[in-house]
Amino acid sequence: MNHPKEEKTLVLLKPDALQRNLLGEIIHRFERRGLKIIGMKMIALDEAILKEHYAHLKDKPFFKGIQDFMSSYPVVAMAISGVRAVSMVRAMCGPTKGYEALPGTIRGDFSMSTQANLVHASDPVENPEAEVNRFFKPHELFSYKKIEFDILLAPDELK
Ligand code: ADP
């Protein structure tokens, strides 16, 4: 029962978010914004999924560093749904480099690193729905109507 205008996007709470006790803080931000969590689980990322997920960076000198970092501790994978969710979630995370991210963003409030930047959020050009499906099997995703939905957006924003 997702609305036809809802988009799906993938968020990963990286190993630094787990170690720094920021999981709840970050999840809370997405909830408070009105976004809908349609899937969530803790997983260990293996080499195969990391090679696929970061294929666009495979020739970069820091690729091994990303692989080591992302497999160092478990991550929390979230599938998030909402109207304009892809761009909203990216904006809430801030730009890649934590030290350039503005206060008010997740990275700008809690990180100062390029690698240890707490979150992954789907890029619109990377096909967010395909990213969600890389991390979640169909039975791990939930389609439901959030009862606050009708007060979150004006009727004309849903047409
Ligand atoms: P984003 O996560 O903001 O979409 P990218 O897809 O460009 O950014 O990069 C994926 C991840 O790889 C980043 O979030 C960061 O953890 C890591 N990364 C990117 N560039 C660098 C770099 N120059 N040095 C180290 N790690 C990097």
Side-chain angles (χ1 to χ4, degrees):
M1 270 194 299
N2 292 337
H3 189 277
K5 286 203 99 174
E6 282 184 58
E7 302 169 350
K8 288 182 193 144
T9 191
L10 175 81
V11 169
L12 299 176
L13 309 183
K14 297 184 179 184
D16 53 332
L18 178 140
Q19 288 295 347
R20 295 183 53 210
N21 310 315
L22 288 169
L23 299 177
E25 163 73 39
I26 297 170
I27 293 166
H28 195 197
R29 288 182 176 218
F30 296 125
E31 282 191 299
R32 278 187 305 187
R33 189 80 189 264
L35 292 158
K36 186 161 80 179
I37 299 168
I38 57 166
M40 186 155 74
K41 60 183 177 179
M42 182 177 270
I43 42 173
L45 300 182
D46 62 21
E47 201 179 323
I49 200 162
L50 285 169
K51 282 219 157 85
E52 197 186 326
H53 186 62
Y54 287 125
H56 61 293
L57 300 173
K58 68 177 184 338
D59 299 324
K60 301 280 187 199
F62 53 84
F63 184 65
K64 166 106 177 41
I66 300 178
Q67 276 190 298
D68 291 348
F69 169 60
M70 290 298 289
S71 58
S72 60
Y73 296 100
V75 303
V76 172
M78 301 176 71
I80 290 181
S81 169
V83 177
R84 292 180 284 267
V86 176
S87 58
M88 273 174 42
V89 168
R90 287 281 287 187
M92 289 172 77
C93 291
T96 308
K97 297 177 169 68
Y99 56 86
E100 288 181 351
L102 289 177
T105 64
I106 293 164
R107 288 165 171 169
D109 283 347
F110 303 114
S111 77
M112 55 171 89
S113 161
T114 303
Q115 179 177 272
N117 58 6
L118 299 168
V119 272
H120 165 82
S122 297
D123 188 316
V125 302
E126 302 281 339
N127 191 348
E129 189 128 1
E131 281 206 342
V132 168
N133 295 334
R134 177 180 301 142
F135 285 84
F136 289 89
K137 298 187 176 74
H139 74 271
E140 294 173 322
L141 293 171
F142 299 85
S143 174
Y144 61 97
K145 179 171 161 56
K146 201 101 190 298
I147 52 179
E148 67 187 8
F149 197 79
D150 294 334
I151 199 80
L152 275 171
L153 290 157
D156 64 319
E157 291 176 294
L158 291 168
K159 282 199 195 110

